[in-house]
């Protein structure tokens, strides 16, 4: 490799690094705790418009409400009118900081120390958005007449209830028949080193709130009462020991976890009337939402057949499982990562849900690729400074792999 090529590569990396770091800091300074965007999307749209993007803000929810009904700001930006459409998807909202006294550095005062950039949202996922933006700017500057289209879907409702964010934008796009071909979600996917893991799918998430109703009474006279805790114990035992499926080559077996049990009046001599249990399935493509519900009800029907107590289950589906098999998008990511970091990437479907669950059902290929996830949602969230420019280079390489062939 020639000295001139080495100097060019080093110069390019330095440019990506500084531009991504500067934009990351500007975004991280804004305390955009979900669902508040706090001007982040205005900053992004101003830059994208300079690069030739048409920017559109979409608002969903009620401006006068708070919590899950609060108004959410979303940005849809697009450059180009033809296919394929490569969409960068992410979120500007962050989780609450907790007690700021526990942070080494103030969470909304981005600080560079010990080779890291420290701030709430550093890993999840404002640096990813910064890298998206720099990559798109650099790609457009070098290839103004590129094929296809580049798009951004940015929400401020990913860390919250996720009802007025990406899901609503996708509904709007679908209604006007505007399709995404490839979607790159900038969630922190890496584990030990940048690019070692990309998520090419996610398990589904099905939540349940179980209420068991008996009859309150004195513990000394159990024949005059019906204990909902006792009534539920055998059913819960079978529920937690059931093998729901065996998974497959892409997904681990479906799992169930009980996350909350609440019953009792506070008195030691009173049988309570109700028991409340919260549990969640993380399920693979080997089973369905309806099958999980049916098997669960069959277990409870069996154990409550001769019981004086009754049960009710309220279900909430947070997302269906999805999978992007190896193909053009996965290869474009793997090749770009290899070129920048010399890392051989592993595909994974582990972890929680992401907004990819709203995009994949439209037929888009979806992968998640971002910085290391070691400190997400934690006190002292941070990300390696040296990874920022590399991530922007990887994203730009993906654009080149998909739009220049």
């Amino acid at each position: 490799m020639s000295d001139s090529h080495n100097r060019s590569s080093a110069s390019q990396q330095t440019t990506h690094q500084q531009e991504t770091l500067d934009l990351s800091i500007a975004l991280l300074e804004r305390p955009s705790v979900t669902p508040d965007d706090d001007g982040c999307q205005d900053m992004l749209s101003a830059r994208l418009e300079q690069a030739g993007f048409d920017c559109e803000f979409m608002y969903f929810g009620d401006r006068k409400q708070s919590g899950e009904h609060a108004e959410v700001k979303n940005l849809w930006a697009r450059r180009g009118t033809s296919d394929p459409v490569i969409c960068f998807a992410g979120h500007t909202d962050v989780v609450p900081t907790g007690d700021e006294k526990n942070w080494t550095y103030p969470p909304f005062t981005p600080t560079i120390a010990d080779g890291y950039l420290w701030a709430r949202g550093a890993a999840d996922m404002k640096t990813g958005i910064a890298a998206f933006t720099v990559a798109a700017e650099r790609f457009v500057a070098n290839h103004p007449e590129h094929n296809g289209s580049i798009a951004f879907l940015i929400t401020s409702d990913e860390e919250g209830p996720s009802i007025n964010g990406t899901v609503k934008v996708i509904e709007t796009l679908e209604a006007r028949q505007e399709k995404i071909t490839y979607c790159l979600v900038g969630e922190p996917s890496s584990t030990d080193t940048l690019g070692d893991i990309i998520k090419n799918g996610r398990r589904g998430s099905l939540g349940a709130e179980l209420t068991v109703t008996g009859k309150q009474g004195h513990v000394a006279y159990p024949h005059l009462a019906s204990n909902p805790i006792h009534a539920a114990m055998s059913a819960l035992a079978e529920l937690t020991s059931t093998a729901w499926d065996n998974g497959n080559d892409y997904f681990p077996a479906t799992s169930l976890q009980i996350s909350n049990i609440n019953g009792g009046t506070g008195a030691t001599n009173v049988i309570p009337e109700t028991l409340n249990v919260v549990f969640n399935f993380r399920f693979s493509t080997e089973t369905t939402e309806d099958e999980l519900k049916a098997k669960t009800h069959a277990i409870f029907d069996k154990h409550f057949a001769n019981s004086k107590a009754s049960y009710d289950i309220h279900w909430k589906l947070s997302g269906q499982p999805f999978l992007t098999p190896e193909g053009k998008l996965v290869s474009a990511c793997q090749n770009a990562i290899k070129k920048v970091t010399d890392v051989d990437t592993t595909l994974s479907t582990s972890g929680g849900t992401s907004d990819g669950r709203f995009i994949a059902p439209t037929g888009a290929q979806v992968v998640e690729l971002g910085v290391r996830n070691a400190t997400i949602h934690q006190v002292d969230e941070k990300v390696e400074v040296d990874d920022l420019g590399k991530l922007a280079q990887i994203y730009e390489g993906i654009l080149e792999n998909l739009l220049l062939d």
Side-chain angles (χ1 to χ4, degrees), residues 76 78 83-89 151-153 166 169-170 173-174 177-184 358-360 362-366:
W76 172 250
R78 179 167 174 171
D83 292 333
V85 179
I86 302 173
C87 177
F88 291 115
F152 280 68
L153 197 171
T166 299
V169 177
I170 289 297
L173 297 178
E174 286 286 286
Q177 297 184 338
E178 195 168 356
K179 289 284 190 178
I180 295 169
T181 313
Y182 306 112
C183 183
L184 188 62
F358 303 126
I359 302 168
T362 68
Q365 294 184 36
V366 180

Side-chain angles (χ1 to χ4, degrees), residues 34-35 101-102 151 182 209 214 231 248 260 262 339 353 365 392:
T34 189
K101 294 178 182 178
N102 294 329
Y182 306 112
E209 296 180 3
N248 54 38
N260 199 331
N262 183 33
K339 182 177 179 180
T353 59
Q365 294 184 36

Side-chain angles (χ1 to χ4, degrees), residues 147-165:
N147 298 323
S149 303
I150 306 171
F152 280 68
L153 197 171
I154 308 296
T155 185
S156 58
D157 183 38
E158 198 274 347
E159 299 291 8
S162 299
I163 60 174
N164 288 313

Side-chain angles (χ1 to χ4, degrees), residues 35-330:
D36 188 6
D37 171 69
D38 200 29
C40 291
Q41 293 176 31
D42 291 332
M43 186 188 309
L44 296 172
S45 66
R47 291 184 64 140
L48 292 172
E49 285 176 351
Q50 289 294 316
F53 284 77
D54 294 320
C55 295
E56 174 185 2
F57 290 113
M58 299 185 187
Y59 298 88
F60 303 103
D62 191 336
R63 184 176 299 181
K64 298 179 181 179
Q65 296 293 321
S66 59
E68 69 176 35
H69 300 294
E71 183 180 73
V72 170
K73 185 175 184 178
N74 305 279
L75 171 63
W76 172 250
R78 179 167 174 171
R79 187 183 196 276
T81 58
S82 61
D83 292 333
V85 179
I86 302 173
C87 177
F88 291 115
H91 60 92
T92 51
D93 59 322
V94 300
V95 295
T97 63
D99 189 347
E100 295 190 13
K101 294 178 182 178
N102 294 329
W103 286 68
T104 302
Y105 306 101
F108 295 113
T109 303
T111 303
I112 298 175
D114 303 321
Y116 291 90
L117 175 61
W118 307 61
R120 171 58 84 221
D124 190 10
M125 55 161 288
K126 289 184 176 179
T127 55
I129 291 176
F132 280 164
T133 306
V134 171
E137 290 171 336
R138 302 287 297 175
F139 177 80
V140 167
N142 292 328
H143 310 284
E145 303 300 324
H146 61 80
N147 298 323
S149 303
I150 306 171
F152 280 68
L153 197 171
I154 308 296
T155 185
S156 58
D157 183 38
E158 198 274 347
E159 299 291 8
S162 299
I163 60 174
N164 288 313
T166 299
V167 63
K168 289 291 182 64
V169 177
I170 289 297
E171 288 174 0
T172 301
L173 297 178
E174 286 286 286
R176 61 195 197 195
Q177 297 184 338
E178 195 168 356
K179 289 284 190 178
I180 295 169
T181 313
Y182 306 112
C183 183
L184 188 62
V185 185
E187 291 287 354
S189 64
S190 303
T191 300
D192 297 318
T193 186
L194 180 67
D196 61 347
I197 301 288
I198 60 175
K199 308 287 188 181
N200 66 320
R202 290 284 193 169
R203 293 174 296 173
S205 176
L206 178 63
E209 296 180 3
L210 166 70
T211 301
V212 180
T213 303
K215 182 180 180 181
Q216 184 173 315
H218 197 294
V219 297
Y221 301 94
H223 59 289
L224 299 178
S226 174
N227 193 320
I229 300 174
H230 291 191
M233 289 177 67
S234 60
L236 291 175
E238 182 172 348
L239 195 71
T240 57
S241 62
T242 295
W244 305 92
D245 60 48
N246 296 316
N248 54 38
D249 290 343
Y250 296 99
F251 289 91
T254 293
S255 66
L256 173 141
Q257 288 293 311
I258 294 175
S259 58
N260 199 331
I261 296 181
N262 183 33
T265 65
T268 60
N269 60 349
V270 177
I271 295 171
E273 181 180 16
T274 60
L275 170 71
N276 297 299
V277 181
V278 178
F279 57 92
N280 179 270
F281 290 98
R282 293 302 166 104
F283 62 104
S284 76
T285 51
E286 291 296 303
T287 191
T288 68
E289 167 196 0
D290 290 338
E291 288 171 340
L292 292 174
K293 290 179 179 179
K295 290 179 182 179
T296 300
H297 280 285
I299 290 171
F300 278 91
D301 288 344
K302 178 177 65 176
H303 289 277
F304 277 75
N306 298 312
S307 175
K308 295 179 181 179
S310 62
Y311 80 91
D312 180 69
I313 302 177
H314 174 72
W315 297 96
K316 182 179 180 181
L317 179 70
S318 297
Q320 296 283 3
F322 69 89
L323 177 71
T324 295
E326 295 184 57
K328 194 163 186 179
L329 178 57
V330 169

